[in-house]
Amino acid sequence: MVEPELTAATILVADDNWANLELLSQLLQDQGHRVVCVVDGEQAIETLLSEQIDLALLDVVMPGRTGFDICRAIKSNAETRLIPVVLVTSLTDTGDRIQGIECGADDFLNKPINREELLARVRSLLRLKQFTDELESAETVLFSLALSIEAKDPYTEGHCDRLSKYSVDLAERLSLPEALRVALRRAGTVHDIGKVAVPEHILLKPGPLTPDEWEVMKQHPVVGERICRPLKSFRHVLAIIRHHHEKLDGSGYPDGLKGEQIPLTARILQTVDIYDALTTSRPYRQALSPKKTFAVMQEEVKRGWWDASLVEELEALILGAAIPANGKS
Ligand SMILES: [Fe+2]
């Protein structure tokens, strides 16, 4: 495999010892990197939040917040958690290594610093960061495309954001694992991305669609799944995209799945999608109140379309009804 060429990076070095700071800074600058030096934990956190940092080298023992504290803060913040962290320590105690790993550290360096070891570790972590950045760029392109499709229809403004939020809230209420909650957050934005293949005269038609137009519209979950399939990080999102228009009685599309054949995550997004569609104004009708919306959805549950338990959970979530989370038999 041909390795991508590493570009110059911005590296944060945090150490309360000026001699160490200068040494590390010089070694990294000699490799063409930009180095930001800080002398305590507070400055480190401020810098990480205000600058684009590609890698952090943190001394473990510093006044105030330790390297462990900073590492934990970096890894628990969605904005910074993909920044690789190397803990620099003179301590070789196994306990410190374990604590570092538990804080999410990606690697360790012992003092005194060995030049070759430092540069090898930095190179390896920057390569990883470069791959992560490329992956993030691909996700960003997909999200931008999805939002540009949403923007075509003024009546659906904010729909994707609301879907992401409500889907995640519902998933939390049902104690779904983190990976599926992340998938639902992403699916809220990209579920209709396949509409990019639907011509505008169909997409924005105010009246009912002809049978031929419906056939075109019904392809959007299939096209959406195809667009997102190359991204491995979207593997839990694909089923949601493909099946968000299925109905429990098998009358939905594109596969006519029935009941629990429809993945739970797709049923969650679908429940929230219907709710949001009914509570927002459309050219042909006014927005319904949440209470009226749930009455309509309950009728559709009786028709065999939606998952009764999910509609009830969403109702409890939105109206704060007295149904305890997971309290259903
Ligand atoms: Fe859709």
Side-chain angles (χ1 to χ4, degrees):
M1 188 179 96
V2 179
E3 290 193 351
E5 204 163 298
L6 272 181
T7 48
T10 301
I11 300 175
L12 173 77
V13 181
D15 197 318
D16 58 321
N17 181 311
W18 280 100
N20 285 339
L21 265 186
E22 271 186 33
L23 172 73
L24 283 168
S25 180
Q26 197 57 56
L27 287 171
L28 296 167
Q29 279 175 4
D30 287 348
Q31 301 299 307
H33 299 303
R34 177 175 164 257
V35 180
V36 182
C37 294
V38 296
V39 291
D40 62 44
E42 295 303 328
Q43 283 181 20
I45 299 275
E46 272 172 38
T47 309
L48 284 156
L49 293 174
S50 61
E51 291 203 36
Q52 286 283 350
I53 300 293
D54 296 303
L55 173 69
L57 290 176
L58 310 174
D59 187 26
V60 167
V61 185
M62 282 190 290
R65 301 178 81 168
T66 65
F68 295 134
D69 297 332
I70 306 166
C71 184
R72 206 176 293 114
I74 291 173
K75 297 298 179 181
S76 60
N77 183 337
E79 300 279 309
T80 54
R81 71 188 161 86
L82 297 178
I83 300 173
V85 174
V86 179
L87 290 178
V88 184
T89 173
S90 50
L91 310 166
T92 47
D93 193 298
T94 318
D96 285 309
R97 291 229 163 194
I98 292 170
Q99 193 178 346
I101 292 166
E102 282 172 354
C103 295
D106 298 275
D107 214 336
F108 297 89
L109 273 174
N110 288 328
K111 291 180 189 171
I113 297 292
N114 175 299
R115 179 182 178 277
E116 296 312 317
E117 188 187 2
L118 165 77
L119 297 182
R121 284 174 198 265
V122 165
R123 244 191 328 268
S124 147
L125 287 170
L126 286 179
R127 197 174 297 127
L128 198 65
K129 175 69 165 47
Q130 207 165 302
F131 284 132
T132 315
D133 286 350
E134 282 165 17
L135 184 67
E136 275 214 306
S137 308
E139 285 191 18
T140 308
V141 170
L142 285 186
F143 287 146
S144 303
L145 176 61
L147 292 173
S148 73
I149 295 163
E150 180 192 67
K152 282 186 185 176
D153 184 352
Y155 286 94
T156 59
E157 197 188 347
H159 176 65
C160 290
D161 277 351
R162 290 192 298 272
L163 240 61
S164 291
K165 185 188 174 306
Y166 287 142
S167 301
V168 172
D169 287 352
L170 195 49
E172 270 172 17
R173 192 177 164 85
L174 298 168
S175 305
L176 258 62
E178 170 79 12
L180 297 185
R181 284 186 246 166
V182 170
L184 277 164
R185 183 168 50 74
R186 289 169 166 157
T189 306
V190 301
H191 66 289
D192 272 343
I193 199 166
K195 284 186 177 173
V196 73
V198 179
E200 284 194 18
H201 71 272
I202 298 177
L203 197 60
L204 303 178
K205 188 173 177 181
L209 301 181
T210 66
D212 283 348
E213 288 168 342
W214 250 117
E215 285 310 309
V216 175
M217 185 60 115
K218 279 159 65 176
Q219 285 304 305
H220 82 267
V222 179
V223 175
E225 185 199 22
R226 200 180 304 141
I227 291 172
C228 295
R229 196 182 295 144
L231 269 189
K232 278 195 177 160
S233 59
F234 271 47
R235 61 190 178 282
H236 294 303
V237 184
L238 300 183
I240 310 177
I241 298 174
R242 184 169 182 107
H243 299 301
H244 75 276
H245 285 293
E246 305 284 1
K247 286 178 180 160
L248 255 58
D249 62 1
S251 65
Y253 64 90
D255 299 313
L257 298 187
K258 284 186 177 177
E260 295 200 348
Q261 287 179 328
I262 308 167
L264 175 61
T265 45
R267 281 181 273 144
I268 289 176
L269 188 92
Q270 170 185 78
T271 306
V272 172
D273 196 11
I274 306 297
Y275 173 79
D276 194 69
L278 291 172
T279 49
T280 45
S281 293
R282 296 292 152 103
Y284 45 90
R285 62 155 175 77
Q286 284 293 304
L288 302 183
S289 69
K291 215 172 162 199
K292 175 80 182 139
T293 297
F294 283 114
V296 171
M297 289 176 78
Q298 292 295 358
E299 278 306 307
E300 293 176 345
V301 164
K302 286 183 199 151
R303 269 193 247 171
W305 289 2
W306 320 130
D307 186 319
S309 63
L310 291 179
V311 171
E312 281 182 34
E313 291 288 358
L314 183 66
E315 186 170 3
L317 187 74
I318 304 242
L319 300 181
I323 300 174
N326 300 318
K328 291 179 57 52
S329 55

